Amino acid sequence: MDEQLDKLDLRLLEELQKDGRLTNNELGERIALSPSQCSRRRTRLEAEGYIRSYQANLDRQRLGLDMLVVISVTLATHNRDNARRFSQLINGLPEVLEAYALTGEMDYHLKVATRGLTDLSRFVNDVLLPHESVQHVKTAIVLDTLKTFEGFPIPLPQG
């Protein structure tokens, strides 16, 4: 954690993480600061990159994206050019919600949302498998979501 963040900065981040639409008045009420102080702190935290963006949290299933899948990918060869080609592929695919390069048996894990099995089959068989960078793909369909990302844990200083 950065030493430049004080307790009020951390509380402000915690509240904005819960609801990014809070006005400076509402934020000030929650953390006991004036709206103008909240505005200055928020602007500084944005400028310093602690707050990267604001976005709406949409309901995947209401949008018809009923299937959530974790896909493990092994690259055909392990070199910088192949990893770059795979990264370019993944970054151009809207179905890929998150992608992680890993240590261990598989090279990447992808979190993918599709409308159903037909779209998943097309994604795997027509997009991933034919790509020159990919050797092996393993899919796991998510049966139930136990917890979704709701924000980073922000350690508030003691005292």
Side-chain angles (χ1 to χ4, degrees), residues 2-145:
D2 197 316
E3 300 296 323
Q4 297 174 359
L5 298 179
D6 63 17
K7 185 176 182 177
L8 291 171
D9 290 332
L10 294 171
R11 290 189 57 217
L12 186 144
L13 290 172
E14 185 176 45
E15 291 299 328
L16 284 175
Q17 196 168 227
K18 292 176 190 170
D19 183 355
R21 296 186 309 167
L22 289 174
T23 66
N24 290 320
N25 286 338
E26 294 166 331
L27 197 53
E29 289 173 13
R30 291 185 185 196
I31 66 172
L33 271 182
S34 73
S36 62
Q37 288 175 319
C38 285
S39 177
R40 282 192 295 276
R41 283 177 182 264
R42 183 191 306 225
T43 300
R44 178 179 57 80
L45 292 167
E46 291 168 350
E48 292 176 358
Y50 291 99
I51 300 172
R52 296 189 324 193
S53 68
Y54 298 90
Q55 62 188 20
N57 185 355
L58 306 180
D59 187 308
R60 168 181 61 79
Q61 292 174 307
R62 293 286 310 257
L63 294 170
L65 299 169
D66 293 325
M67 185 161 287
L68 190 60
V69 184
V70 176
I71 300 177
S72 302
V73 177
T74 303
L75 295 184
T77 59
H78 293 87
N79 60 50
R80 187 172 307 186
D81 288 338
N82 205 38
R84 181 186 47 75
R85 282 191 296 272
F86 182 72
S87 178
Q88 287 173 336
L89 169 69
I90 294 309
N91 280 294
L93 299 172
E95 299 93 340
V96 178
L97 307 178
E98 298 177 34
Y100 301 97
L102 305 173
T103 61
E105 184 180 338
M106 302 306 269
D107 296 317
Y108 296 91
H109 274 193
L110 312 178
K111 180 178 170 184
V112 174
T114 67
R115 292 190 175 275
L117 278 174
T118 301
D119 285 352
L120 174 60
S121 177
R122 181 204 54 79
F123 182 77
V124 171
N125 294 315
D126 298 344
V127 178
L128 286 181
L129 284 173
H131 195 269
E132 63 185 342
S133 65
V134 175
Q135 177 184 10
H136 180 73
V137 172
K138 182 178 175 182
T139 61
I141 296 172
V142 174
L143 297 176
D144 193 14
T145 301

